[in-house]
Amino acid sequence: MSTAPRQLNLNLFIYPNGHHEAAWRHPLAAHQRVLDVSFYQELAQQAEAAKFDAVFFADGLGIGDGVRYASRFHLEPITLINALAAATQKIGFIATASTTFYDPYTLARLLAFTDHLSHGRVGWNIVTSSLKRAAQNYGLAEHPSHAARYARAHEFVEAIGRLWDSWEDGAFINDPASGLFADTDRIHPAQFSGEHLSVAGALNVPRSPQGRPVYVQAGSSEAGRDFAAQYAEAIFTAHQTLESAQAFYRDVKERATQRGRNPAHVKILPGLSPFIGSTEAEAKALQREFDELIQPDFSLLQLKNQLGLDVDLRGHDLDAPFPLHLIPDNPDQAEHSRFQLVLDIVKREQPTLRQLLQKLAGARGHFVLAGTPEQIADHIQTWFEQGAADGINVMPPWLPGGFEVFTREVVPILRQRGLFREEYSGSTLRDHFGLPRPESQFAPALAQAQAA
Amino acid sequence: MSTAPRQLNLNLFIYPNGHHEAAWRHPLAAHQRVLDVSFYQELAQQAEAAKFDAVFFADGLGIGDGVRYASRFHLEPITLINALAAATQKIGFIATASTTFYDPYTLARLLAFTDHLSHGRVGWNIVTSSLKRAAQNYGLAEHPSHAARYARAHEFVEAIGRLWDSWEDGAFINDPASGLFADTDRIHPAQFSGEHLSVAGALNVPRSPQGRPVYVQAGSSEAGRDFAAQYAEAIFTAHQTLESAQAFYRDVKERATQRGRNPAHVKILPGLSPFIGSTEAEAKALQREFDELIQPDFSLLQLKNQLGLDVDLRGHDLDAPFPLHLIPDNPDQAEHSRFQLVLDIVKREQPTLRQLLQKLAGARGHFVLAGTPEQIADHIQTWFEQGAADGINVMPPWLPGGFEVFTREVVPILRQRGLFREEYSGSTLRDHFGLPRPESQFAPALAQAQAA
């Protein structure tokens, strides 16, 4: 057992202009740099200077309904993190990629190479893609059901794990004198054959520095939690209350334990979108500036999607109570992972439609906090120490300033309180997260142990 | 019409240790850096300092038969070029990607983003993947036929072109004041539905700096030439004689003209692998050093694959004449694009098996020339001026020195002769190649003209 005090993990979650849905309209946001690689390289360098664990990018495989109103589009994560890794030395990068719409051989190569090129700094956020129009972009007549997507996801993770393990660590010989480049006795075909996919061969690249990328997950449905408990080494999650986060934390750690995993190797990082001011009033005033830039037509479209509604919410009185009767009794909640969260807000706070939209505008259901640096640090410390979080998924409301102020004002307080590292102790993402490097499942010792 | 003298295009084709199959065994090659991104970044920077047009990476979607003997493995091109683009400013990058095993939506996003992140420096080498075991890595019972692969390739290029055009250039508004992020009237669904694939939606990223990546092709079969004449803006090709290269050049330019294309917008770049010495004898001695490191078991395996043979060539007397009777009368030549080239060598030079292996060891059938810098420059000038080439695909026998000596000794001679640029005149790969930036097929002017 380590005797070092438990330390926070901090992840920077980058949305192009920041997480507030109106960020791109505020003069503080660098909206004109939204497609400029140097903008993201500077943010990654800033996160590295602050000793963050990783930078994370979400993804979506189709154009969003609200593209007219707001910059809710997704940067392609894999190309981007390679451009950012080339401009940094230590910080990790987590790319979202879909088990429904990638082939395992393609993704295995892309991420194995990213791990090589970055010297072991890659994580994979495993998603099954809830966006219905994605299926049509991939030639499918209809979007696979939640159950079918998760069934394929299980096969996918199994298959891609075999690919990443297919070269044992010692298989890459590269000895000019003997002329032996690879020890083919230590390269193993994946030989995975499932109902949804199959993969025959070995990968065509030596095992990567981390063995395989860090597995990250963000599903909150029942199936998503179970999947996370089985595979995830880090989990992003959204909670509006400490109690909800605590219950999630307990539940997932228990599920992992029941599966024979070390719960310490499942890092749970709730999201936090902080508006920071030198007084609480100043912070709240700043938040109001952003909220006033919201375009209700976009917000209503987003809410409709989050709740899986069939009706158009536009035209409803924004200042009347939220029209609870519109919410279906029993939606396929799995398809809409924010459904329960939004419903809880409505029941707890009884907001008007406008109030609900503003509540969600900050970070799509993630916790938004406007306060002083001390108040932000207090929140993080409370969640960290009271069984709700191993770290925080930092979601700046706008960029770059909304992140810069966090690193300048909040991170030093976390350090003074002994909660966050002064310096990296390793150089891979596994090192930062305190995760073990997995051995290849084909390695003789492991294969023997498993056979016994 | 431009009155500037016609200029060479120079492309650096990087194989991990260099193109000679035994390069990795020679002390001049940096075999220990074969998986180190900084090695390739330095090469790209060197190519950029020499004002090369582009750096190119081949690819393969399965482990090679000869991985035991030699470093014939492929670096994943898309992740790699993003890491290299981040370390350079002007030079282009050409990534190989398969129309058989990618989905168009995935590849469209990967390459569109690479074009954004590199500020317009990307080319796509379009391949249909001849490697039979690739199919098994993608869950197919058998490898699609050559004809089926090309049928899908045509659909793929059509579909991905629609995706890259789906945002007109003016669709990305990004205006915070009005709150209009995108003009959805100028974003068009791809609406491609073919026999092999279909894609519904628009891409979820604004049109990239080059409109679309430069289309590159390297097929030499009948179907490959036709495909190239229809789509390719740059072509890589292998020839052992000036006459063969001239015939290919004439043929492809004619096919392009017949399709209504400007043949000047189809750049033809034959491969050249140069061993350079201060005397011809010194260059030839250097080549011999590499040839002596060949491992015949690997070379025979590679030859078997190049010829599509079913028999194992190992055990044949290396110093007897090449066993011509083993070559099938009528192989599916399209599956083996080097078949005719090897057959021509055998008929022309009547080599022993060992001599043939050495002939092919340098660059798998591409032209290998050992000589002084002047001799190398003479060769390039001759092919350039006598209707065999618009430029050269430079294939260093080993790396990094085999490229460094080319830039130091040969490039200045080409400049003295007025054949190659002193400085870049533009900043995109289209600029370097002198290719026009295509207008979106959905742009009103173009759509109108096509309807008329």
Side-chain angles (χ1 to χ4, degrees):
Chain A
M1 290 297 266
S2 164
T3 53
R6 187 169 157 255
Q7 294 275 294
L8 273 168
N9 301 112
L10 292 180
N11 177 76
L12 169 60
F13 180 2
I14 294 183
Y15 246 51
N17 282 291
H19 284 271
H20 193 286
E21 70 182 42
W24 73 287
R25 302 190 65 196
H26 195 286
L28 282 174
H31 77 280
Q32 74 287 355
R33 299 187 69 193
V34 72
L35 283 170
D36 182 355
V37 64
S38 68
F39 179 55
Y40 303 102
Q41 287 171 331
E42 287 163 22
L43 286 167
Q45 286 161 350
Q46 217 168 81
E48 182 168 74
K51 316 302 175 194
F52 267 50
D53 294 73
V55 176
F56 162 58
F57 295 93
D59 199 18
L61 297 174
I63 197 165
D65 283 326
V67 72
R68 180 177 193 89
Y69 304 106
S71 58
R72 277 283 177 269
F73 70 91
H74 290 292
L75 305 161
E76 197 295 313
I78 295 176
T79 52
L80 183 55
I81 69 173
N82 276 284
L84 304 193
T88 52
Q89 301 294 321
K90 294 284 185 82
I91 193 164
F93 293 97
I94 298 169
T96 298
S98 168
T99 55
T100 304
F101 298 111
Y102 257 109
D103 286 294
Y105 205 83
T106 300
L107 188 61
R109 294 185 72 225
L110 290 169
L111 293 182
F113 261 90
T114 305
D115 205 44
H116 275 295
L117 297 173
S118 67
H119 301 287
R121 297 189 279 141
V122 176
W124 170 33
N125 180 38
I126 309 171
V127 300
T128 70
S129 301
S130 63
L131 186 72
K132 283 184 178 154
R133 81 179 37 151
Q136 296 165 0
N137 291 334
Y138 285 83
L140 302 183
E142 56 184 45
H143 195 66
S145 71
H146 185 263
R149 296 207 312 275
Y150 267 94
R152 181 181 159 97
H154 280 278
E155 291 190 3
F156 195 108
V157 174
E158 180 66 24
I160 204 167
R162 285 173 181 238
L163 288 169
W164 283 326
D165 283 349
S166 60
W167 289 56
E168 291 177 32
D169 284 315
F172 182 47
I173 308 292
N174 199 17
D175 178 32
S178 68
L180 190 64
F181 182 71
D183 180 351
T184 48
D185 292 342
R186 302 174 81 174
I187 301 176
H188 307 272
Q191 286 184 315
F192 180 85
S193 182
E195 282 189 36
H196 295 83
L197 52 88
S198 64
V199 179
L203 203 60
N204 55 358
V205 59
R207 200 152 192 265
S208 77
Q210 293 190 112
R212 54 176 170 77
V214 173
Y215 288 176
V216 181
Q217 227 264 348
S220 55
S221 69
E222 184 65 22
R225 289 179 185 212
D226 224 53
F227 189 88
Q230 187 169 354
Y231 301 111
E233 299 170 292
I235 296 175
F236 298 138
T237 183
H239 297 279
Q240 286 290 324
T241 65
L242 174 65
E243 295 68 32
S244 160
Q246 286 169 325
F248 179 86
Y249 187 97
R250 247 188 340 263
D251 179 50
V252 172
K253 297 267 180 175
E254 272 172 25
R255 288 179 198 235
T257 305
Q258 277 162 18
R259 287 184 172 277
R261 299 182 62 200
N262 180 345
H265 295 160
V266 184
K267 304 294 178 183
I268 297 180
L269 288 81
L272 172 65
S273 189
F275 282 95
I276 302 170
S278 52
T279 64
E280 186 177 331
E282 188 186 303
K284 286 192 188 302
L286 184 63
Q287 182 179 10
R288 268 194 306 276
E289 280 184 27
F290 280 77
D291 285 349
E292 279 161 13
L293 294 169
I294 290 170
Q295 296 173 284
D297 274 3
F298 170 76
S299 313
L300 290 167
L301 209 52
Q302 179 164 270
L303 181 60
K304 172 177 180 284
N305 289 338
Q306 285 183 317
L307 294 175
L309 301 183
D310 289 325
V311 297
D312 193 339
L313 293 168
R314 286 174 292 186
H316 273 271
D317 182 355
L318 291 172
D319 297 307
F322 177 81
L324 200 53
H325 63 278
L326 289 178
I327 298 187
D329 266 357
N330 187 21
D332 183 355
Q333 117 179 35
E335 297 268 338
H336 311 287
S337 66
R338 292 286 180 271
F339 181 84
Q340 195 56 51
L341 183 144
V342 174
L343 209 65
D344 287 347
I345 294 174
V346 169
K347 289 178 178 164
R348 193 172 59 242
E349 306 183 8
Q350 304 187 336
T352 64
L353 190 47
R354 187 189 303 279
Q355 285 166 338
L356 180 65
L357 295 183
Q358 286 178 348
K359 182 101 190 174
L360 296 173
R364 305 173 311 286
H366 284 275
F367 199 93
V368 180
L369 181 59
T372 64
E374 287 72 20
Q375 287 175 313
I376 305 292
D378 289 348
H379 168 91
I380 294 173
Q381 183 166 8
T382 300
W383 285 42
F384 180 60
E385 292 181 344
Q386 301 198 4
D390 294 312
I392 295 293
N393 193 18
V394 179
M395 303 169 64
W398 81 95
L399 291 171
F403 181 55
E404 192 270 325
V405 63
F406 184 91
T407 62
R408 194 182 65 235
E409 301 291 343
V410 180
V411 169
I413 299 174
L414 297 173
R415 289 214 174 97
Q416 283 158 19
R417 298 181 186 178
L419 299 173
F420 189 59
R421 67 171 69 92
E422 299 274 350
E423 193 40 86
Y424 291 113
S425 59
S427 63
T428 71
L429 179 54
R430 290 190 175 280
D431 291 339
H432 306 336
F433 273 141
L435 297 168
R437 182 180 186 278
E439 180 135 35
S440 166
Q441 61 195 284
F442 299 109
L446 201 64
Q448 226 166 30
Q450 283 170 344
Chain B
M1 290 294 269
S2 164
T3 54
R6 188 170 156 252
Q7 294 274 294
L8 273 167
N9 301 113
L10 291 180
N11 178 76
L12 169 60
F13 181 2
I14 294 184
Y15 247 53
N17 282 292
H19 284 271
H20 192 287
E21 71 182 41
W24 74 287
R25 302 191 63 197
H26 196 286
L28 284 173
H31 78 279
Q32 74 288 354
R33 298 186 69 193
V34 73
L35 282 170
D36 183 355
V37 64
S38 68
F39 180 55
Y40 302 102
Q41 288 172 330
E42 287 164 22
L43 287 167
Q45 287 162 349
Q46 218 167 80
E48 182 168 74
K51 316 300 175 193
F52 267 49
D53 295 73
V55 175
F56 162 58
F57 294 93
D59 199 21
L61 297 174
I63 197 165
D65 283 327
V67 70
R68 180 178 193 90
Y69 304 106
S71 58
R72 277 284 177 269
F73 70 90
H74 291 292
L75 305 161
E76 197 295 312
I78 295 177
T79 51
L80 183 55
I81 69 174
N82 276 284
L84 304 194
T88 52
Q89 301 294 322
K90 293 284 186 80
I91 194 164
F93 293 96
I94 299 170
T96 298
S98 168
T99 56
T100 305
F101 299 110
Y102 258 110
D103 286 294
Y105 206 84
T106 300
L107 188 61
R109 294 185 73 224
L110 290 169
L111 292 183
F113 260 90
T114 304
D115 205 44
H116 276 295
L117 297 174
S118 67
H119 301 288
R121 296 190 281 142
V122 176
W124 170 33
N125 180 39
I126 309 170
V127 300
T128 70
S129 301
S130 63
L131 186 73
K132 285 187 175 150
R133 81 179 39 152
Q136 296 164 0
N137 291 334
Y138 285 83
L140 302 183
E142 56 184 46
H143 194 65
S145 71
H146 185 262
R149 297 206 312 275
Y150 267 94
R152 181 181 159 98
H154 280 278
E155 291 190 3
F156 196 107
V157 174
E158 180 66 24
I160 204 168
R162 285 171 180 240
L163 288 169
W164 283 326
D165 283 349
S166 59
W167 290 56
E168 293 176 32
D169 284 315
F172 182 49
I173 308 291
N174 199 17
D175 177 34
S178 68
L180 191 63
F181 182 70
D183 179 353
T184 47
D185 292 342
R186 303 174 80 174
I187 301 176
H188 307 272
Q191 285 184 317
F192 181 85
S193 181
E195 282 189 37
H196 295 82
L197 50 87
S198 63
V199 180
L203 204 61
N204 55 359
V205 59
R207 200 150 191 266
S208 78
Q210 294 189 113
R212 53 175 170 76
V214 173
Y215 287 177
V216 182
Q217 227 265 346
S220 55
S221 69
E222 185 65 22
R225 289 180 186 213
D226 225 53
F227 188 88
Q230 187 169 354
Y231 301 112
E233 300 171 291
I235 296 175
F236 297 137
T237 182
H239 297 279
Q240 285 290 322
T241 66
L242 175 64
E243 294 68 33
S244 161
Q246 287 169 325
F248 178 85
Y249 187 98
R250 250 190 334 266
D251 179 52
V252 172
K253 296 269 180 173
E254 274 172 24
R255 289 179 198 236
T257 306
Q258 277 163 16
R259 287 185 172 275
R261 299 183 61 201
N262 180 346
H265 296 160
V266 185
K267 304 294 180 186
I268 297 180
L269 288 81
L272 173 64
S273 189
F275 282 95
I276 302 170
S278 52
T279 64
E280 186 178 330
E282 188 185 304
K284 286 192 187 305
L286 184 62
Q287 182 180 10
R288 267 195 306 278
E289 280 184 27
F290 280 78
D291 285 348
E292 280 162 13
L293 295 170
I294 290 171
Q295 296 172 284
D297 274 2
F298 170 76
S299 315
L300 290 167
L301 209 52
Q302 179 164 268
L303 181 61
K304 172 176 182 282
N305 288 339
Q306 285 183 318
L307 294 174
L309 301 183
D310 289 325
V311 296
D312 193 337
L313 293 167
R314 284 174 294 185
H316 274 270
D317 182 354
L318 291 173
D319 296 307
F322 177 81
L324 200 54
H325 63 277
L326 288 179
I327 299 187
D329 265 357
N330 185 20
D332 182 354
Q333 118 180 31
E335 298 267 340
H336 312 289
S337 66
R338 293 285 179 273
F339 180 83
Q340 195 56 51
L341 183 144
V342 173
L343 210 64
D344 288 347
I345 295 174
V346 169
K347 289 179 178 162
R348 192 171 60 242
E349 305 185 9
Q350 303 184 340
T352 63
L353 190 48
R354 188 189 304 278
Q355 286 165 337
L356 180 65
L357 295 183
Q358 287 178 346
K359 183 99 188 172
L360 296 174
R364 305 173 312 287
H366 284 275
F367 200 92
V368 180
L369 182 57
T372 64
E374 287 73 19
Q375 288 174 313
I376 305 292
D378 289 348
H379 168 91
I380 293 173
Q381 183 167 9
T382 300
W383 285 41
F384 180 59
E385 293 181 344
Q386 300 199 6
D390 295 311
I392 294 293
N393 193 17
V394 179
M395 302 168 62
W398 81 96
L399 291 170
F403 181 55
E404 191 270 325
V405 64
F406 184 90
T407 63
R408 194 182 64 233
E409 301 291 343
V410 180
V411 170
I413 299 175
L414 298 173
R415 290 215 174 97
Q416 284 159 19
R417 299 183 187 179
L419 299 172
F420 189 61
R421 66 172 70 91
E422 299 273 351
E423 193 40 87
Y424 291 112
S425 60
S427 63
T428 70
L429 180 54
R430 291 190 174 279
D431 291 338
H432 306 336
F433 273 140
L435 297 168
R437 182 178 186 279
E439 181 135 35
S440 166
Q441 62 194 284
F442 299 109
L446 200 65
Q448 230 166 27
Q450 283 170 346

